[in-house]
Amino acid sequence: MTRESHCDACFPPASALDYLPLPELRALQLRRLKESVNLAYHHQESGLLKRRMDEAGVKPEDIKSLDDIRRLPFFLKTDLRDTYPYGLFAVPREQVVRLHASSGTTGKPIVVGYTQSDIDVWSDAMRRCLLACGLSEHDVMQVSYGYGLFTGGLGAHYGGEALGATVVPTSGGNTERQIMVLQDFGVTAICCTPSYFTHIAEKAAEAGVNIRETKLRVGVFGAEPWTEAMRQHIQDSTGIRAHDIYGLSEIIGPGVAIECREQNGLHVFEDYFYPEIIDPETCENLPDGEEGELVLTTLSKQAIPMIRYRTRDITSLMTEQCACGRTVRRIRRIGRRSDDMLIIRGVNVYPSQIEAALMRIKGVSPHYLIVVTRESGLDQMEVQMEITPEILGDRIRELEDLQGAVAHAIYSTVGINAKVTLVESKTIARSEGKAKRVIDKRG
């Protein structure tokens, strides 16, 4: 079976792919879908897709339209762990030029691999992400995602180089040096988690550095859910434009979807990644516009062609065309996952809901922690939140009023009475990667 070559010369300019007429885009998707299913069905090391398709009575040649994707089985993160390390690979290990892996905090890590063609696809997807944010070869881009087995750092790095930008690979940590580099190197764009950027900005202010007086103008933030209120906090406090980027290692890494300069939904590069929205309970497909679980199928991945991967991320496909003119569809920004839900006294609570409630209150910083316990058989939720230094010096009555306002905001948002604890600035641990928002002590 032949595969498309993905050398540099084969990539049209971003406009040719992002603005494809829909009939051409759908034809390209169908051709690539057939190739991906064929590759995984016949060559997957564990044979898992073949067994599942055979059980369902489906053969690769039965895929005659994009709607036929619904006949294919789903895959989950547990499938990657159960076939650890190479069971879902569909090419000989000798063709794999890169391996990445998750942190493995819940057991065996998931392992993903890339052929050189996959690296080229990844670089191109990230290049198009950065273009959508308004970046170009004239920018200096600081990559403060972690490098190593985590996909974030190298994904952004190669995308920046493919764009022609000057890439500064600072990785995560050593925040004082990050600030020095940002100033001295004339950095115009930064890529990191939104929580780490708020930490950088906070440390910069302590050192007497005003982010507004640097050349920084764009932030590309991802790897953790964040709210519109957090975006406004970042933009208002630093003067940059904050763009949401989406990706996951199982699909390719960062670069699956990005907000353009309209900042109204994330464009999915669906010539590479085919999106569906399903009901997470029934697994039935939902029409565009309805909220459900995002399912992604890779259309150009060779090492691990991922078929109908359930991301557990909750979003919806936006139906109207973006004002930027791109024809690739958008998903609404992802603020929650179906598997990060807390059930407290029978009520479904997502950390993003708590963040949205907190960010509405003046004087509250973007650093918080949710602690869940069980006392006498009843679930209890405590929200620890930092208050800004100027608020801390106020009178006790005013602090009590603030505490009450926060408790009311949480109750009006999630319907749960939470204990609100005001803590001094810098009390809650900072993260140089993904922020830890929840401690569940219920066992």
Side-chain angles (χ1 to χ4, degrees):
M1 173 184 168
T2 60
R3 298 287 293 171
E4 294 177 13
S5 171
H6 290 295
C7 63
D8 291 342
C10 297
F11 286 127
S15 58
L17 291 167
D18 294 352
Y19 301 86
L20 272 181
L22 288 181
E24 292 182 31
L25 176 59
R26 299 296 176 244
L28 176 62
Q29 289 173 317
L30 179 58
R31 175 163 55 85
R32 289 181 170 178
L33 174 63
K34 290 178 178 180
E35 290 184 353
S36 294
V37 172
N38 259 301
L39 180 63
Y41 182 89
H42 292 293
H43 299 288
Q44 195 178 69
E45 183 175 295
S46 65
L48 186 56
L49 177 67
K50 183 178 188 304
R51 290 197 299 274
R52 289 180 176 174
M53 286 180 62
D54 289 349
E55 289 170 2
V58 181
K59 299 294 183 185
E61 53 268 24
D62 295 329
I63 306 302
K64 301 182 186 301
S65 70
L66 286 174
D67 284 341
D68 289 331
I69 197 172
R70 303 182 183 195
R71 303 178 64 184
L72 298 172
F74 293 105
F75 277 77
L76 304 167
K77 181 173 284 191
T78 51
D79 293 320
L80 283 145
R81 291 201 175 102
D82 291 345
T83 57
Y84 173 88
Y86 302 137
L88 296 189
F89 282 46
V91 298
R93 201 270 308 153
E94 290 75 14
Q95 294 182 25
V96 176
V97 301
R98 174 90 62 78
L99 292 174
H100 282 282
S102 71
S103 60
T105 55
T106 56
K108 286 282 190 182
I110 61 167
V111 177
V112 293
Y114 302 78
T115 65
Q116 185 56 54
S117 172
D118 295 336
I119 295 292
D120 293 342
V121 167
W122 191 11
S123 298
D124 183 62
M126 272 303 306
R127 176 182 69 92
R128 291 159 65 186
C129 282
L130 300 173
L131 278 170
C133 295
L135 302 184
S136 72
E137 70 274 13
H138 302 296
D139 283 288
V140 179
M141 192 174 88
Q142 182 168 330
V143 179
S144 300
Y145 286 117
Y147 282 65
L149 290 178
F150 173 60
T151 55
L154 285 169
H157 182 114
Y158 281 109
E161 289 188 344
L163 180 66
T166 302
V167 179
V168 187
T170 50
S171 190
N174 200 341
T175 304
E176 289 76 13
R177 188 176 183 182
Q178 302 266 4
I179 296 166
M180 180 194 73
V181 167
L182 192 151
Q183 288 182 286
D184 296 350
F185 291 14
V187 170
T188 58
I190 188 168
C191 303
C192 60
T193 62
S195 58
Y196 187 46
F197 181 72
T198 60
H199 181 51
I200 290 174
E202 182 181 75
K203 284 293 186 182
E206 289 176 8
V209 176
N210 186 345
I211 297 291
R212 291 178 178 274
E213 296 176 356
T214 70
K215 293 184 178 180
L216 187 66
R217 62 184 182 86
V218 173
V220 182
F221 303 131
E224 63 187 18
W226 55 303
T227 61
E228 186 63 29
M230 177 68 84
R231 188 218 299 279
Q232 288 305 127
H233 169 79
I234 289 172
Q235 294 189 157
D236 293 345
S237 61
T238 65
I240 72 169
R241 286 182 63 83
H243 291 260
D244 192 9
I245 187 172
Y246 175 74
L248 57 169
S249 299
E250 302 93 306
I251 298 301
I252 204 162
V256 173
I258 188 76
E259 286 180 327
C260 67
R261 282 176 284 184
E262 296 294 324
Q263 293 180 308
N264 181 23
L266 291 83
H267 291 277
V268 180
F269 297 107
E270 52 178 323
D271 50 306
Y272 292 146
F273 319 108
Y274 187 79
E276 302 173 80
I277 301 293
I278 66 166
D279 184 312
E281 300 298 327
T282 67
C283 296
E284 294 296 320
N285 281 73
L286 297 175
D288 289 358
E290 288 197 23
E291 186 178 77
E293 180 182 341
L294 178 64
V295 172
L296 291 169
T297 296
T298 61
L299 300 180
S300 296
K301 190 94 179 280
Q302 293 181 345
I304 305 182
M306 192 59 69
I307 306 300
R308 301 198 83 192
Y309 183 76
R310 294 186 59 177
T311 67
R312 301 297 187 184
D313 293 318
I314 302 299
T315 184
S316 62
L317 281 165
M318 302 173 69
T319 54
E320 65 278 10
Q321 186 171 336
C322 183
C324 74
R326 286 176 172 81
T327 54
V328 289
R329 287 176 292 179
R330 289 169 293 158
I331 55 173
R332 298 193 186 280
R333 66 183 299 139
I334 293 166
R336 61 189 177 95
R337 292 171 52 85
S338 62
D339 56 359
D340 72 357
M341 181 179 71
L342 296 166
I343 301 178
I344 300 173
R345 287 173 248 154
V347 177
N348 298 340
V349 177
Y350 292 91
S352 58
Q353 294 175 301
I354 302 299
E355 179 178 299
L358 295 181
M359 297 304 294
R360 292 202 300 264
I361 307 299
K362 184 179 180 181
V364 176
S365 85
H367 304 290
Y368 64 95
L369 186 65
I370 303 167
V371 181
V372 185
T373 57
R374 182 167 289 141
E375 300 173 15
S376 302
L378 293 176
D379 294 335
Q380 306 293 334
M381 181 172 71
E382 176 189 9
V383 178
Q384 299 176 7
M385 40 167 274
E386 289 186 4
I387 51 178
T388 55
E390 58 270 21
I391 296 293
L392 187 61
D394 287 349
R395 292 173 296 180
I396 292 177
R397 177 58 185 273
E398 291 170 340
L399 292 175
E400 290 175 345
D401 288 345
L402 175 62
Q403 201 169 17
V406 171
H408 177 73
I410 293 172
Y411 181 80
S412 65
T413 301
V414 300
I416 289 287
N417 285 311
K419 177 184 178 183
V420 175
T421 303
L422 306 181
V423 299
E424 294 183 16
S425 181
K426 316 297 189 300
T427 301
I428 294 173
R430 303 301 192 253
S431 170
E432 294 171 354
K434 297 183 182 183
K436 185 175 180 62
R437 300 297 196 192
V438 179
I439 297 177
D440 195 336
K441 297 182 176 180
R442 292 177 294 183

